[in-house]
Amino acid sequence: MLDRLPLLIGLRYVRAKRRNHFISFISLTSMLGLMLGVAVLILVLSVMNGFDHELRTRILGMVPHTKIESPSGLVEWEALAEQLMQRERVIGAAPYVEQQGMFSVSGRNEGAMVNGIHPEWEDRVSIIGRHMRQGSLDDLQPGEWNVVLGSLLARHLGVGVGDRVTLLVPEASITPAGVFPRLKRFTVSGIFSVGADLDANLAYANIEDMQTLARLGDAVGGLRLELDDLFAAGAETRAIVNQLGSGYRGIDWTYSHGNLFQAIQMEKRMIALLLTVIIAVAAFNIVSTLVMVVTDKHADIAILRTIGATPRSIMGIFVVQGLAIGIIGIAIGVGLGILLALTVSDLIGWVESTLGIQFLDAGVYFISDLPSRLHWDDVRDIIAAAFGLTFLSTLYPAWRASRVQPAEVLRYE
C-alpha cells in the first residue's frame, strides 16, 4: 500500500478542489502555459520545415545543383555529359546557355535571366516541365524563337501565350550605321509557375536560338548537373573539376541560394530555442504551484510521516502531482499543435480569401503560400524537452516537502 501511496495521493491532490483558489489558478496557468508553448513550438517548427522543403523542391528543383562551365564554351558537351553521368552521385545532365537581358513590350520593361535549354534534356535536371501553366517546353523548337516566361514576369509585362516580346541583351552590335543594342523578338509560347521568386525573373528559350543570339556557334555555356544529394554538391563539384583538369570551373547551388538555406536553418534553431524558453517558464510555474501546495499541506504531510511514510514517498507525492499537471498540459498542447500544423496552410488560405489580403507575396518572398510539414521527430523532441523541464521543476518543492518535520508541524495543530 505504501508503495502506491505517492501515486494515489499525488493524483488525488490534482483532482481535489483546493480551499486556496489562488493555488488552483496558478496550476491552471502552468498547464495552459505548457499547452500553448508546446502547441506553438510544434506549429512553428512545422512551418519552418515547410519552408525548408519548399526551398529544396521548388527553388533547388529549378536551380541546378551544380554547373560545369568552360570560359570558351563546351563544344563536345554530349561526350562530357556521358562521362559525368558515370559518376556515382550524378543522376542527370543537360546543356544550357544563360543570357541576362531585359524584356520589353508596350513600354514595359522587366529584367530576366533567359536560359537556353534542350527540351528533351531539361527534365533530367529541372522540375520546370511539371509546372507549366500554359504551353509546353516542346514548343521551344529551334528557329521559331519561342520563349517560356514565369507567371509573374508575364503578368508584369502584361503578355500571354501568343504575344510577342523583345529581348534586349547587354551587348552592342556594330554596323555601318553605328552602334546599336542587340535585340531579338520572341513569341511567348508558354507560362510556368513554381510559386517562387523565380517566376518573376526567369525565362526559357531553345538552346540553339540562344546560341545564335549569344554568338556561341556550336558551343554551349555549360552543363547543369543533378545530384542524388544536394548537400554533397560542394564536394562533388570540386571532385569533377579536379577530374576534368584546367579549363573547367564548377559552380554549385550554394553560391546562389546557400545563404537563403542557411538563414532558414538558423531561424529554425533560434525560434526553437526561444520557444523552448517559453515552455521552460511555463514548466517552472509548477514550482510556485507545488511550493504553495506543500505549505498548504504541512499537516497532511506530518500525518503521513507519523503513519510510516518515508521522505522518499512524500517527495514522490509532489513529483507525481507536478508531472500530472505537466502531462495534461503537454498532451493537450501536442494535440493542438499537430492539428494546427496539419491545417495551417488551409487556415491561412481561408483567411486570405475571406479578408482579401496576401500574407506572402511571391514578389517579395520565395513562395506565395504558407507551407507546413509535420516531422514526428520534432514532436518527439518537443515532448521530451517539455517533460524533462516539468520533471526538473518538481524536484525542489518535492524535496522541501520531504524535509517537513512532523513534530514541529503537529505541535501547533
Side-chain angles (χ1 to χ4, degrees):
M1 181 65 183
L2 290 178
D3 291 337
R4 300 172 56 193
L5 186 68
L7 181 62
L8 294 174
I9 298 181
L11 294 178
R12 181 176 179 180
Y13 280 174
V14 174
R15 298 192 305 269
K17 295 182 179 180
R18 298 187 180 88
R19 297 184 299 260
N20 191 332
H21 295 290
F22 183 69
I23 298 177
S24 299
F25 175 75
I26 295 297
S27 299
L28 181 62
T29 56
S30 301
M31 191 180 300
L32 291 176
L34 278 171
M35 178 192 72
L36 292 176
V38 169
V40 171
L41 185 53
I42 291 175
L43 173 61
V44 171
L45 290 186
S46 297
V47 171
M48 297 305 294
N49 291 333
F51 275 99
D52 177 73
H53 176 75
E54 293 299 323
L55 173 66
R56 299 190 192 189
T57 57
R58 294 196 185 188
I59 302 298
L60 297 182
M62 298 287 289
V63 175
H65 291 175
T66 188
K67 297 189 294 185
I68 303 300
E69 300 177 343
S70 175
S72 58
L74 302 178
V75 178
E76 302 294 336
W77 61 267
E78 292 188 50
L80 180 60
E82 184 176 349
Q83 175 186 347
L84 295 179
M85 284 292 294
Q86 302 302 315
R87 297 185 62 87
E88 182 179 356
R89 288 201 174 277
V90 179
I91 59 176
Y96 71 91
V97 173
E98 284 184 346
Q99 179 66 66
Q100 187 74 38
M102 181 173 66
F103 285 104
S104 178
V105 57
S106 302
R108 298 181 180 180
N109 301 304
E110 292 290 338
M113 176 65 73
V114 184
N115 282 344
I117 62 170
H118 196 302
E120 296 179 3
W121 290 62
E122 189 63 16
D123 284 342
R124 305 179 185 184
V125 298
S126 173
I127 62 172
I128 176 63
R130 301 194 296 270
H131 290 271
M132 293 296 299
R133 183 176 291 179
Q134 293 177 269
S136 169
L137 291 182
D138 294 333
D139 297 330
L140 300 178
Q141 296 300 317
E144 296 186 4
W145 298 95
N146 289 334
V147 66
V148 172
L149 303 179
S151 58
L152 293 177
L153 179 59
R155 185 192 308 170
H156 294 160
L157 291 171
V159 297
V161 173
D163 293 333
R164 294 179 66 83
V165 296
T166 300
L167 175 65
L168 291 83
V169 298
E171 295 181 13
S173 297
I174 301 176
T175 69
V179 179
F180 294 92
R182 295 177 57 196
L183 50 88
K184 184 63 183 178
R185 297 275 286 177
F186 284 84
T187 301
V188 178
S189 64
I191 294 176
F192 70 86
S193 176
V194 293
D197 61 345
L198 297 175
D199 292 343
N201 53 38
L202 190 62
Y204 290 91
N206 185 273
I207 192 169
E208 293 186 23
D209 293 343
M210 295 307 297
Q211 285 174 315
T212 302
L213 185 63
R215 299 176 179 174
L216 292 176
D218 294 331
V220 299
L223 285 176
R224 301 169 63 189
L225 303 181
E226 179 88 0
L227 307 179
D228 62 349
D229 182 5
L230 64 92
F231 295 106
E236 185 66 13
T237 302
R238 289 190 294 270
I240 290 174
V241 172
N242 290 335
Q243 174 188 343
L244 297 178
S246 60
Y248 294 91
R249 66 177 181 178
I251 303 174
D252 63 79
W253 66 272
T254 59
Y255 284 92
S256 58
H257 292 81
N259 290 338
L260 179 59
F261 179 80
Q262 293 173 1
I264 290 177
Q265 293 298 309
M266 180 61 69
E267 289 175 3
K268 180 180 178 180
R269 296 189 189 100
M270 294 306 298
I271 290 175
L273 177 61
L274 292 175
L275 293 178
T276 301
V277 172
I278 294 176
I279 293 177
V281 172
F284 283 105
N285 279 340
I286 296 176
V287 175
S288 302
T289 301
L290 293 183
V291 166
M292 287 187 287
V293 171
V294 169
T295 302
D296 190 54
K297 300 294 184 180
H298 268 190
D300 294 351
I301 295 171
I303 293 173
L304 289 172
R305 289 294 308 278
T306 58
I307 62 175
T310 64
R312 182 175 180 180
S313 297
I314 299 299
M315 188 173 180
I317 291 172
F318 293 96
V319 168
V320 168
Q321 182 183 358
L323 288 178
I325 294 173
I327 288 172
I328 294 172
I330 293 170
I332 298 175
V334 168
L336 180 61
I338 291 174
L339 178 63
L340 290 174
L342 295 176
T343 60
V344 65
S345 298
D346 295 333
L347 289 175
I348 294 299
W350 177 79
V351 171
E352 289 180 338
S353 62
T354 302
L355 301 181
I357 60 176
Q358 187 174 12
F359 291 106
L360 295 175
D361 185 355
V364 178
Y365 303 96
F366 72 92
I367 59 172
S368 56
D369 54 359
L370 186 68
S372 177
R373 288 182 67 85
L374 181 65
H375 289 178
W376 294 109
D377 288 346
D378 289 338
V379 176
R380 179 199 62 199
D381 294 341
I382 292 169
I383 293 174
F387 184 82
L389 291 171
T390 300
F391 176 73
L392 290 176
S393 67
T394 66
L395 295 181
Y396 174 71
W399 177 79
R400 285 278 304 272
S402 69
R403 304 288 293 177
V404 170
Q405 299 298 322
E408 295 182 4
V409 174
L410 296 178
R411 181 185 305 171
Y412 302 102
E413 292 294 328

